[in-house]
Amino acid sequence: MPRSPSPSPPAGQPSTASDAGDAVKAIYVFANEKGGMTDINRGKINEIIAQLSQSSAYTAKLLKSDRRVDETVALLQQKLQRSDEGARRSAAAVVARQVAALEASRRADRCCAVIDFDMFYAAVEIRDRPELADKPVAVGGIGMISTANYVARRWGVRSAMPGFIGQALCRQLVFVRPDFAKYTAVAEVARAIFREYDPKMTAGSLDEAYLDLTDHLHKRARDGGGGGAGDDSGDCDGGGEGERRGTALTGEALGELAGEVVGEIRARVKEATRGLTTSAGIGPNFLLAKIAADVRKPDGQFCTGWSREAVLSFLAPLPVRKVPGVGRVMEKARARKDGAASAVCELLSRAAEARLLFTPGSADSLLRKSLGWEEGGREEAAGEALQKGISCERTFRPTGDEAELGETLRRLCASLAEEMAARQLRGRTVTLKMKTSDFDLLTRDSSAARPVGAAEELQARAVMPLTVAD
Amino acid sequence: MPRSPSPSPPAGQPSTASDAGDAVKAIYVFANEKGGMTDINRGKINEIIAQLSQSSAYTAKLLKSDRRVDETVALLQQKLQRSDEGARRSAAAVVARQVAALEASRRADRCCAVIDFDMFYAAVEIRDRPELADKPVAVGGIGMISTANYVARRWGVRSAMPGFIGQALCRQLVFVRPDFAKYTAVAEVARAIFREYDPKMTAGSLDEAYLDLTDHLHKRARDGGGGGAGDDSGDCDGGGEGERRGTALTGEALGELAGEVVGEIRARVKEATRGLTTSAGIGPNFLLAKIAADVRKPDGQFCTGWSREAVLSFLAPLPVRKVPGVGRVMEKARARKDGAASAVCELLSRAAEARLLFTPGSADSLLRKSLGWEEGGREEAAGEALQKGISCERTFRPTGDEAELGETLRRLCASLAEEMAARQLRGRTVTLKMKTSDFDLLTRDSSAARPVGAAEELQARAVMPLTVAD
DNA sequence: GCACAGACT
DNA sequence: TACTAGTCTGTGC
DNA sequence: TACCAGAAC
DNA sequence: TACTGTTCTGGTA
Ligand SMILES: Nc1ncnc2c1ncn2[C@H]1C[C@H](O)[C@@H](COP(=O)(O)OP(=O)(O)OP(=O)(O)O)O1
Ligand SMILES: Nc1ncnc2c1ncn2[C@H]1C[C@H](O)[C@@H](COP(=O)(O)OP(=O)(O)OP(=O)(O)O)O1
Ligand SMILES: [Mg+2]
Ligand SMILES: [Mg+2]
């Protein structure tokens, strides 16, 4: 039960005529429904953001990239127009059979949960500085905010928002420097608990865990009610799944039990982390659980249910952007004619069209997701999920001084090498990434015969592709 | 009705103990059932081939490549072993639904034909030198045979067989140099006729044509029986397909009429080319028509039928190698445990396995083909089918003389440039292809910003990637 | 493999 | 004044 | 893009 | 003695 902030954000009034161009407003997506309080004073927030961003190089870049997306989408639409009847019919047929097949194989016997800390970095910092509890807090700096507490969010402060804009939105905003060691330690505490419920648990990030509770729920149902996962923990790691299940635990029964278990997990995590709250989603697969985790945020949980009806009525009205993997661009590519964002049901109803616009893989993936099916008609990667890349980058004030740039590169390579050594990692491909003062990104890379790891090797490799050929 | 050859090939007797190793015999595929008379004296033929090839560099290369294939296949099998239950079940499900969907959408309203000249080059040469008619004839040289007439085939002489082996198999074999201009002219004559029946006809090669007869058959059914496509020809090129159909012409009725029409086409072609015979396949799509075209060769035609039963009973017993796109390697990859080649029905029954071994696209393609479905769940490429590459290569006696090699390259580039100019073609990527004396193939290429076409440009580009980096 | 864009936290 | 850092995926060439 | 292998005629 | 020439496709890095 959050206390109300000392000074309140301005009350929401429809903002009238404004100076900042609508195009500029349209590209900034901070003020959307994600997280925090919704719709208190959307107009004011947009106004301030647009005002401050208006003539920046960053805005120019966003507009440019937006135009490119527009062009691409227009091209796709043209392609659609040109596509012949046969192709369209065939696409529709493919979709129809995929839908039928997916529906036919809906299973109600698996239970997945996604657990995500609330305002993670901020929560940790506030826990350690209780006087901040009712103040608007941002973790990050004047350059960039990593996250903000729910108080600050009422002013429109958001993750991935530059600090100075956050400050403009909320004069009293308190900035706190991030302390990753602390977050890592907290994450480890939580994961130890998660593993008691699913030893194969995986982590999506420091603050996010994916648990397959199926086995645990069957154990609990078998061994009788009551709490605690304690002595079960050793049993799960061995052979295949569900060897000892036996109980017919499906659908809503699964959901009910899962709700209790997840509540228990969250309570234990809160206890073990001295008060940090989490939110959770529960569902028949990780995709749905992940989407569900957002529904009762903060400090709540939501279960999608298992039936076709439950799942579809949950998904259908959601904005497509809620679907993991659908970002700014895909949202635009699948927007309605008037530019308004689509809901998931429209993704479904226009799936045949998507089949003509995207690669088979992308179209499949989109369709499966809009039906609430997680990825992995394929291998599902039973393996250990080895790390594939490691990087170190720094943004600095523009300079053309080659000596200075070289020195920066050297330092980056040194840091990277250190980290790689610590984690016993080496790599075959070294990528040099450059950002220009107008935010254009360039990469150049070079692959070595044998993996490299030493700072000097990294640096040498990084520079190689700059000496061009042809 | 072919006359019998003056001297006959040796009668077939099971060849007993032999000098040449079985491994060597196994890799030479000349003596299989494709084309010509089958099984007269398979053992003898294999014996001679193996004897002559035994210790050549070419054989070494084949064996090596064969071992590589074996390894790959073994790896795939291991992968199969390791794949978990879930993956296997999911693959089976995918296959089941694909099969169901494909079966559901079988259509009986299209009629395709593939028409292919018999022993094409040889037939043209023999037509122009009638005294060769009952002699064994090979078109090509002592190095390589492009094709042989049916007389020569009784001795085991085949396309892609080196001339000296052909000669060993058949002492009287007459070699004729190819004359591509003649073959092109003949092809044009035939195509003019084909286009009367399907203006959108496409050519698979000089001697092979793909005709969609659907529209023509409907016209003919509408306008009453009788022969001749003449005045119809102008009607087809306009808008979409079947605008004026109206007649309910499907399945076996379609097949019967198609048989007549294809007979008429083949007669007209024979007439127009002064006696050249063709064989044809008729079926509900080009894949089946193509396979069917081989059944009644030479000078015959075959129709697969349209019903599921007809199609499957036609396909099921065929060796997989009959399926276009399935070659030596895929045949081996899908062979039975004992190494014997599979039939198409086994492709089907082990389709789930294939799904785990190959990429989704390859697995799909294999499955569709084994059900008698042509490719193109996708776009089907309505476009004009622009040429994508052009090349000029020559095999010569091994040399390390760089000046000589350079001069050869110069000449090749000159020829190529000439051809490109004549056809108004240019290209963005120039590939240098090299073959070593032990038949290893290497390519090196380089892409230019703008397309090139001049001999000097080609040559310069070709040499570029030889000056290596790193 | 290389370059780039997109996505997520 | 000021618009991150780290990891992964997909696509096209 | 670059390289390789397979396939077809 | 001698084992092609042309085009396309797909996979992998
Ligand atoms: N754009 C970003 N850049 C850098 N760090 C980020 C960014 N977004 C999120 N993070 C970090 C800070 C967050 O506390 C942590 C977890 O992210 P996330 O779960 O999305 O938000 P959150 O935990 O801060 O709030 P919520 O209550 O919405 O979950 O990851
Ligand atoms: N491997 C090859 N190398 C070069 N040219 C070839 C090769 N195979 C075939 N050709 C040429 C010569 C053929 O006459 C022509 C048509 O091939 P194809 O239809 O397969 O055989 P064919 O027409 O000679 O005999 P048939 O069709 O009666 O079996 O293409
Ligand atoms: Mg969170
Ligand atoms: Mg032929």
Side-chain angles (χ1 to χ4, degrees), chain B residues 392 394 396 403-418 455 459:
Chain B
C392 178
R394 224 47 38 163
F396 46 84
E404 197 180 335
L405 291 169
E407 171 58 14
T408 301
L409 177 61
R410 196 196 56 72
R411 270 187 291 109
L412 290 170
C413 290
S415 298
L416 187 56
E418 192 175 355
Q459 194 175 346

Side-chain angles (χ1 to χ4, degrees), chain A residues 125-149:
Chain A
E125 299 303 336
I126 290 169
R127 175 194 70 178
D128 297 341
R129 294 172 59 183
E131 75 279 11
L132 296 178
D134 56 2
K135 299 203 172 62
V137 172
V139 177
I142 197 67
M144 180 53 57
I145 292 169
S146 282
T147 195
N149 66 356

